[in-house]
Amino acid sequence: MVNLKKYNDVLKLFVIFLTLFLISSCSQKVLQLNTIKGEQLAVTEDAVTPDTKALVAGIEEYITPYRNRINNDLDSVLAVCPITLDKKAVNMQSTLGNLMADVVLQYGSTVFEKRENKYIDICLLNNGGIRAILPKGNVTARNGFEIMPFENSLVVIALRGAQIQELINYFISERSAHPLSGLTFTIKKDKSADNILIQGKPLILDKLYYVGTNDYLANGGDNMNFFKKGEQTYDLDYKLRNILIDYFKAVDTVTAKQDSRIIVE
């Protein structure tokens, strides 16, 4: 008769031995990267075959009408800008940033009123989202794509006055000319905020305010975590770039200014 206990003991010893052997074997085979080699492959006229040239010519012929149509739409003059607008900071605001915030507040509020019967009180965007200047001269849709190349949409978030205070504190600590509209305040020498007004009225900490921003910031982008404390979020499905282009189409002359929405003592 087979001694099962003795058999099991031998089997356990075998398994332990095999495990130790495998571990020892693996530990001895440590691979290391010693050399990286590369070579430059030149694409010369001789390397392009006649078939490839014919294929490229066919593709070019096919897409040319579409390219011409798109370029025509992008380069059609929509308005005129009398001065160059950029995001150079003066008193923590810029001409182009002010324009962006004012236009988004105005056009976004019109859509928000139609959909929710409410108005946007404040607009806050991020300075880094502006990727080009608006040069003096003719203004086209291409300028809109250059200034706002991303697919960000307008989002409205309901924030209490306490979160608006957090927004202001963030703005002061960042010391960046983030586009801002609808909100004015004074930055005192001790870096605190004074004379806080929303649409010309004093801030009330427990009041609900509607803040327009982009979907990236609405999710806490650029560490704007106060937006994640919102009581309700409304996605207006209106791209910021399209808002800017719609503004260009609606005016003859683009206007922007440096004003006293932010006063630095």
Side-chain angles (χ1 to χ4, degrees):
M1 180 178 289
V2 178
N3 189 331
L4 293 178
K5 183 177 184 305
K6 183 176 181 180
Y7 176 80
N8 288 334
D9 291 339
V10 172
L11 182 61
K12 290 178 181 178
L13 289 172
F14 175 77
V15 171
I16 293 172
F17 173 80
L18 181 61
T19 302
L20 292 174
F21 174 78
L22 292 174
I23 293 173
S24 176
S25 299
C26 292
S27 63
Q28 295 174 3
K29 295 181 179 180
V30 178
L31 300 179
Q32 294 182 343
L33 180 63
N34 295 321
T35 306
I36 298 177
K37 294 183 178 180
E39 59 179 311
Q40 182 177 358
L41 299 177
V43 180
T44 63
E45 186 70 22
D46 295 336
V48 181
T49 66
D51 289 341
T52 302
K53 292 181 180 179
L55 177 61
V56 171
I59 295 174
E60 180 68 22
E61 182 180 2
Y62 181 80
I63 67 174
T64 294
Y66 299 97
R67 181 195 294 122
N68 293 340
R69 175 63 183 273
I70 291 173
N71 286 334
N72 182 67
D73 290 341
L74 289 176
D75 295 329
S76 296
V77 177
L78 305 178
V80 174
C81 188
I83 60 172
T84 296
L85 305 181
D86 56 34
K87 60 178 187 178
K88 182 179 179 181
V90 177
N91 285 338
M92 297 180 69
Q93 56 182 305
S94 68
T95 52
L96 188 52
N98 286 356
L99 172 69
M100 284 293 306
D102 290 345
V103 169
V104 171
L105 178 62
Q106 176 187 351
Y107 281 68
S109 199
T110 299
V111 175
F112 194 44
E113 179 193 9
K114 291 180 179 178
R115 294 187 184 180
E116 305 293 338
N117 197 28
K118 297 178 176 67
Y119 294 92
I120 300 176
D121 298 295
I122 300 169
C123 176
L124 174 64
L125 305 174
N126 56 324
N127 188 50
I130 300 175
R131 292 307 178 99
I133 66 172
L134 183 61
K136 177 181 178 180
N138 292 335
V139 178
T140 66
R142 189 181 297 276
N143 293 124
F145 277 86
E146 291 171 345
I147 293 170
M148 297 295 299
F150 309 110
E151 298 300 308
N152 293 122
S153 294
L154 176 59
V155 173
V156 180
I157 303 177
L159 295 177
R160 292 288 172 185
Q163 279 71 62
I164 302 300
Q165 183 68 64
E166 290 182 41
L167 181 158
I168 295 171
N169 294 340
Y170 170 89
F171 195 99
I172 295 174
S173 65
E174 281 289 297
R175 301 188 62 81
S176 181
H178 294 304
L180 182 67
S181 182
L183 171 64
T184 63
F185 56 90
T186 298
I187 303 175
K188 300 172 67 177
K189 292 183 179 179
D190 62 359
K191 307 306 179 185
S192 63
D194 195 12
N195 300 323
I196 302 172
L197 300 176
I198 299 176
Q199 295 295 329
K201 299 179 181 179
L203 172 69
I204 301 175
L205 292 180
D206 62 350
K207 182 179 178 180
L208 199 62
Y209 295 96
Y210 296 98
V211 183
T213 188
N214 62 52
D215 49 354
Y216 166 70
L217 300 179
N219 293 317
D222 283 5
N223 295 318
M224 294 192 186
N225 295 316
F226 46 84
F227 279 131
K228 295 192 288 186
K229 300 178 182 180
E231 298 187 12
Q232 195 166 359
T233 299
Y234 306 84
D235 188 347
L236 299 190
D237 192 27
Y238 195 0
K239 295 188 186 304
L240 267 62
R241 178 199 309 122
N242 292 345
I243 293 177
L244 189 59
I245 293 175
D246 286 346
Y247 165 76
F248 292 156
K249 292 178 179 178
V251 300
D252 294 324
T253 303
V254 173
T255 58
K257 56 187 177 181
Q258 294 266 5
D259 53 27
S260 58
R261 64 188 70 186
I262 300 172
I263 299 175
V264 181
E265 288 186 347

